[in-house]
Amino acid sequence: MPSSPAVPARPKTLPSTRKRQWGAEKRTEPLPIVHPRPSDRRIALARVAIVATVAFWVLYVVYTVIAEFLNNGTQSFAFTTQAISYVVVVTFLTFSALMYLVARHGALQRFRAHVRTPRAELDRHFADRSTSMTVLVPSYAEEPDVVATTLWSAALQEYPNLRIVLLVDDPPHPTDAAVAERLDATRALSGAITDALHLPGARFRDALLQREVAGTDDLDDAETAEVIGHFRWAVRWVDQRIAQHTVSDHVDVFFVEQVLGGLRHELAITADALESANEEGYALSAAHAVHLMRRLAWTFTAEVDVFERKQYAGLSHEANKAMNLNAYIGLMGGSYAYDETPDGTVLRAVSFGQPADLVIPDSDYLLTLDADSMLLRDYCLRLVHSMEQPENARVAVTQTPYSSYRGASTRIERLAAATTDIQHILHQGFSHHNATFWVGANAVIRKRALDDIVQIETSGGFTIKRYVQDRTVIEDTESSIDLGTHGWSLVNYPERLSYSATPPDFGSLVIQRRRWANGGLLILPKYFRQIRERKARGERVTKTEILLRMNYMSSIAWASFGLVFLLAYPYDSRLLSPMVLLAALPYFIAMASDLRYAGYKASDVLRIYGFNLILLPVNLAGVIKSIEQAITSKKIPFARTPKVRNRTTTPLLYVLAPYLIIAFSVFTLWRDVQAENWGNAAFAGFNAILALAAVIAYIGVGSSLVDIFYGLTNWLYAKPKSGAGAPATAAVEAAADWRTVLYHGAIHDHAADSPAPALAGSTERKAS
């Protein structure tokens, strides 16, 4: 029996542009797609951890705090104030730990109940369905090779009607030669992928058509051999793609081994199975042959396009990912003619049958995919199949919370990846309690649900549609609340089918985590309104769902301020008790267990603690920005996490703050030793050691010095702003021509009130 080549052609390799650190991750193989079935013992221990956390907290409050007041009275105002504040801080921190345990218990129950849908059932489900899907990939200043792997992972999805659109958000006419070259390379990606898919797509579409008209009789040996030959040809085509792809880091390894290699393995093993069945006398049915050819035709057929909203004056140019998505979604299902105006090209809707310069098809489903993410081969097929089950008729968004690429070359990327994989488990638990949040890196969205939550406004004479809210920088979280208000639900699919990059250095991590910490407090009131509306409709809203969602949106705020209190204030030693440690112990044991489950070390729980210590100023800054926005009603600029291969400079505040935390912890240790306050001294010493280890391991002393020097001196090289002040009316009059006059009217009106500042404003995005 002929078999597929065991080893595909070897890809081209280049040295990594990032130096591999000692202590980085060597493993490149991802975790299994389907979570291992947890044992009864593991689930029972998860329940015990929840009960133990609550019990030890109650014992602490009763036998330490209340007993102190009963035995000795209020004693003094200072002690009473300390006791109350300490109990409040400990309670909030214990509550967050408890929500972690509740979420992971729900995840374990989902993993135990999940049964993977067989391949044949997927074929039967889609045999008489041809729902359309549009994959939207928002991109801003990305490296073209990073975007290319994302687009390829989407283009090779097996789906009947797939369209992929790269939403390029870069300024369309850069003056810098390097930036222009990168932009041109990004724009060319769609054409390159379309050209590469042309030959296999045409071959397999023709073969599918032949099989569909061939009749209903079982296939003979020659016809079966023809089907097998198509699969063998597809294997060779994938081998060529593998050989042509340049591998420069662990993300490229994932693309070659899991995206291309996973597809190759499925094609090859199907061909082998068909040959074995044929040798044993099994006659391949005509219907089964059609299903097999559909797999090939759907896998290698995709329409890939590029859209740049900043090429059009009538679309919003607000600098955030949400409005990049909204601009395109708002145009879907329409035909448009180009109208050249003094402000640029405007898209004018035209009626059906009239000549159109741009036609944007509508779609049953949308898939939003970050430009640094990848999907495994049957992501779309399995998630849409799940959404089309009767019990999921009101599911608006389904996703597989993304996992991390393994084999990180830096220690901080490895630890950030560990926290990402822990979050994957927690988000699965959220779905068990109907508390799912949309995680924007990847998600399949029912277009009809977005139409329910759209907000329409007019600015400068142009219609602006907001499907995804951009009031905060965590737009997916707020949109989750909007969908729930309109009676839709969200679900996490309990498999690992999507992966996304984690920041490789402290500078890019600061940008990401500061954004994550910003906005939750602003969304919380909207969630309370959602609860009232759902209850008014007669829906059941469980207390567990409410608590999980409140913790998700606001725990960063109370955890950050609580940790500051514990670090900075010398609490009376009488308030310390082993019960506090025992209440926290189940959380740390459970996280250590989850880290081992995700392929990391149990000791990483201590590294994560130190990691969170040095991120404390970052989280505080995000929370303070939320409070600032609540007071001023001014949007916080969206800061996209850089997806580049070079190191990102850390702002001066965030590189100095970890050293201040270490210094203050050492000072607190000395002060408490002098006062014989041994409990606080031990806590301060513990924090100083773990924070110092985190600075050395994850920021680096050398990198810190470079960033500090840059932060102290970069202002010397700041370029003065050009064009300061408003131009004189006479200058505007002189520059105007008849087109401007006819379009805007009187020039002095135009100068005083320029059209649609939010639409035609600056296309440059702030860095922070």
Side-chain angles (χ1 to χ4, degrees):
M1 178 184 74
S3 61
S4 303
V7 179
R10 188 177 183 86
K12 297 181 290 184
T13 58
L14 289 177
S16 175
T17 56
R18 192 181 302 278
K19 183 179 179 181
R20 188 169 189 84
Q21 294 180 341
W22 174 83
E25 190 175 31
K26 297 180 180 179
R27 167 180 177 164
T28 58
E29 182 182 358
L31 297 170
I33 292 175
V34 179
H35 291 265
R37 183 182 175 87
S39 65
D40 292 339
R41 177 178 177 272
R42 184 176 176 84
I43 293 178
L45 289 175
R47 292 171 181 161
V48 169
I50 295 172
V51 173
T53 299
V54 175
F56 285 126
W57 176 81
V58 171
L59 288 173
Y60 169 73
V61 173
V62 172
Y63 287 98
T64 302
V65 181
I66 296 179
E68 182 69 31
F69 284 117
L70 291 177
N71 293 334
N72 302 311
T74 55
Q75 302 178 53
S76 68
F77 177 77
F79 178 78
T80 302
T81 304
Q82 284 189 45
I84 293 173
S85 67
Y86 192 78
V87 170
V88 169
V89 169
V90 168
T91 299
F92 273 105
L93 294 178
T94 304
F95 173 73
S96 292
L98 181 63
M99 291 300 99
Y100 178 97
L101 297 174
V102 169
R104 75 182 293 271
H105 175 255
L108 294 176
Q109 290 181 293
R110 297 196 80 217
F111 298 157
R112 182 172 64 176
H114 178 63
V115 178
R116 195 164 213 239
T117 304
R119 176 71 244 195
E121 294 303 320
L122 295 176
D123 290 339
R124 291 189 182 94
H125 178 83
F126 286 96
D128 57 352
R129 288 175 172 83
S130 185
T131 53
S132 57
M133 177 179 290
T134 299
V135 183
L136 301 179
V137 183
S139 166
Y140 176 79
E142 320 285 6
E143 297 287 350
D145 56 339
V146 174
V147 180
T149 55
T150 299
L151 294 177
W152 268 114
S153 76
L156 293 175
Q157 289 292 305
E158 179 186 338
Y159 200 77
N161 187 350
L162 187 66
R163 188 166 183 266
I164 301 155
V165 183
L166 177 63
L167 303 178
V168 177
D169 215 20
D170 301 40
H173 306 293
T175 55
D176 183 274
V179 174
E181 182 181 1
R182 183 187 63 201
L183 179 57
D184 289 340
T186 302
R187 288 168 171 164
L189 291 175
S190 64
I193 295 174
T194 299
D195 292 343
L197 288 176
H198 175 73
L199 179 60
R203 174 191 176 104
F204 297 136
R205 287 192 298 272
D206 290 344
L208 171 60
L209 181 61
Q210 292 174 10
R211 284 262 49 91
E212 288 177 334
V213 302
T216 58
D217 296 334
D218 291 346
L219 275 66
D220 57 28
D221 289 348
E223 291 173 320
T224 301
E226 183 181 355
V227 173
I228 296 171
H230 286 306
F231 275 85
R232 297 290 185 206
W233 191 93
V235 169
R236 292 192 294 273
W237 185 90
V238 176
D239 282 343
Q240 292 177 355
R241 296 301 315 171
I242 292 174
Q244 293 169 5
H245 188 81
T246 301
V247 175
S248 59
D249 60 13
H250 61 296
V251 177
D252 289 318
V253 171
F254 178 91
F255 176 70
V256 167
E257 294 183 354
Q258 305 304 322
V259 177
L260 295 179
L263 174 60
R264 179 193 185 279
H265 174 74
E266 183 166 309
L267 296 171
I269 202 170
T270 302
D272 291 344
L274 289 172
E275 288 186 344
S276 297
N278 193 43
E279 288 181 357
E280 294 180 11
Y282 173 79
L284 186 64
S285 69
H288 195 181
V290 169
H291 288 321
L292 292 171
M293 293 312 303
R294 279 177 181 158
R295 291 190 198 178
L296 293 175
W298 291 353
T299 300
F300 293 95
T301 299
E303 180 185 351
V304 187
D305 200 0
V306 174
F307 182 81
E308 299 181 61
R309 61 169 174 152
K310 291 175 181 175
Q311 296 276 17
Y312 305 104
L315 300 180
S316 171
H317 292 180
E318 290 189 53
N320 56 65
K321 184 174 73 173
M323 291 312 297
N324 190 14
L325 292 168
N326 289 332
Y328 188 84
I329 298 172
L331 296 173
M332 293 182 68
S335 300
Y336 305 91
Y338 295 152
D339 183 8
E340 300 299 333
T341 74
D343 290 338
T345 304
V346 173
L347 295 177
R348 304 290 186 193
V350 297
S351 302
F352 178 77
Q354 292 183 335
D357 299 306
L358 178 66
V359 178
I360 300 181
D362 208 350
S363 185
D364 299 301
Y365 296 98
L366 297 177
L367 194 166
T368 58
L369 183 64
D370 278 1
D372 61 346
S373 301
M374 289 188 225
L375 308 174
L376 296 188
R377 56 196 174 279
D378 50 359
Y379 176 97
C380 294
L381 211 62
R382 291 190 178 276
L383 268 62
V384 171
H385 172 265
S386 173
M387 293 184 78
E388 293 183 347
Q389 300 310 300
E391 66 272 20
N392 293 330
R394 292 298 296 175
V395 171
V397 177
T398 187
Q399 61 199 353
T400 60
Y402 62 89
S403 299
S404 64
Y405 301 120
R406 307 308 288 262
S409 60
T410 63
R411 290 183 291 268
I412 193 169
E413 185 175 1
R414 174 188 171 276
L415 202 68
T419 61
T420 293
D421 292 331
I422 291 293
Q423 286 296 318
H424 172 92
I425 298 173
L426 298 183
H427 278 282
Q428 295 290 1
F430 290 166
S431 287
H432 181 75
H433 298 286
N434 194 34
T436 308
F437 282 94
W438 175 6
V439 181
N442 70 94
V444 174
I445 310 161
R446 206 184 297 267
K447 176 66 161 46
R448 184 161 53 91
L450 288 183
D451 292 335
D452 279 355
I453 66 171
V454 64
Q455 296 181 2
I456 302 176
E457 63 183 58
T458 301
S459 178
F462 298 102
T463 299
I464 304 298
K465 296 182 179 180
R466 281 182 168 84
Y467 299 87
V468 182
Q469 289 300 312
D470 67 329
R471 186 169 64 104
T472 68
V473 294
I474 48 173
E475 68 287 332
D476 42 13
T477 300
E478 183 164 7
S479 297
S480 302
I481 305 302
D482 292 337
L483 289 166
T485 302
H486 286 76
W488 292 97
S489 61
L490 302 90
V491 173
N492 289 314
Y493 194 75
E495 295 185 6
R496 294 187 183 94
L497 295 173
S498 62
Y499 290 78
S500 192
T502 47
D505 56 66
F506 191 68
S508 56
L509 186 78
V510 163
I511 296 173
Q512 182 195 69
R513 298 303 170 93
R514 186 173 55 187
R515 185 176 71 245
W516 288 2
N518 184 352
L521 294 177
L522 299 173
I523 300 170
L524 202 56
K526 179 180 282 192
Y527 176 60
F528 293 144
R529 291 194 297 272
Q530 184 210 98
I531 294 173
R532 291 194 296 270
E533 293 186 23
R534 289 170 61 188
K535 288 183 176 180
R537 293 197 299 262
E539 294 184 29
R540 180 172 176 263
V541 185
T542 65
K543 290 183 175 59
T544 305
E545 176 195 341
I546 295 172
L547 295 178
L548 282 170
R549 288 191 184 275
M550 287 177 57
N551 182 70
Y552 183 82
M553 288 184 279
S554 53
S555 62
I556 290 180
W558 67 56
S560 299
F561 285 113
L563 192 53
V564 167
F565 274 105
L566 293 180
L567 288 172
Y569 193 83
Y571 281 102
D572 194 297
S573 60
R574 288 172 292 176
L575 296 173
L576 302 180
S577 168
M579 294 298 174
V580 175
L581 297 178
L582 290 174
L585 195 58
Y587 164 77
F588 286 106
I589 293 175
M591 181 179 287
S593 175
D594 293 339
L595 287 166
R596 288 198 304 270
Y597 172 82
Y600 299 93
K601 299 176 182 178
S603 58
D604 284 332
V605 70
L606 297 177
R607 297 183 180 92
I608 289 175
Y609 180 87
F611 180 67
N612 288 333
L613 277 178
I614 65 175
L615 284 176
L616 179 59
V618 179
N619 291 331
L620 281 173
V623 172
I624 292 170
K625 279 292 185 181
S626 291
I627 298 172
E628 175 190 329
Q629 181 173 345
I631 296 172
T632 64
S633 298
K634 183 179 180 181
K635 289 182 183 179
I636 303 301
F638 183 90
R640 182 75 60 84
T641 307
K643 290 103 174 179
V644 297
R645 301 196 185 278
N646 299 319
R647 192 176 75 84
T648 304
T649 303
T650 306
L652 181 62
L653 170 64
Y654 303 117
V655 75
L656 284 177
Y659 289 98
L660 296 178
I661 290 174
I662 296 169
F664 187 80
S665 296
V666 171
F667 168 75
T668 303
L669 170 63
W670 172 82
R671 181 186 60 192
D672 288 331
V673 168
Q674 296 294 317
E676 298 185 354
N677 192 351
W678 304 115
N680 282 339
F683 181 65
F686 181 74
N687 289 330
I689 292 171
L690 292 185
L692 178 61
V695 166
I696 295 172
Y698 306 128
I699 302 179
V701 176
S703 297
S704 298
L705 295 176
V706 171
D707 291 345
I708 290 172
F709 177 79
Y710 177 80
L712 292 173
T713 60
N714 69 331
W715 64 273
L716 296 173
Y717 307 99
K719 295 180 180 179
K721 294 182 179 180
S722 58
T729 302
V732 177
E733 294 277 5
D737 58 16
W738 62 268
R739 294 180 181 85
T740 305
V741 173
L742 292 179
Y743 185 72
H744 288 293
I747 302 304
H748 65 275
D749 291 337
H750 174 50
D753 186 16
S754 60
L759 302 175
S762 172
T763 59
E764 296 296 333
R765 192 186 303 266
K766 296 185 179 180
S768 61

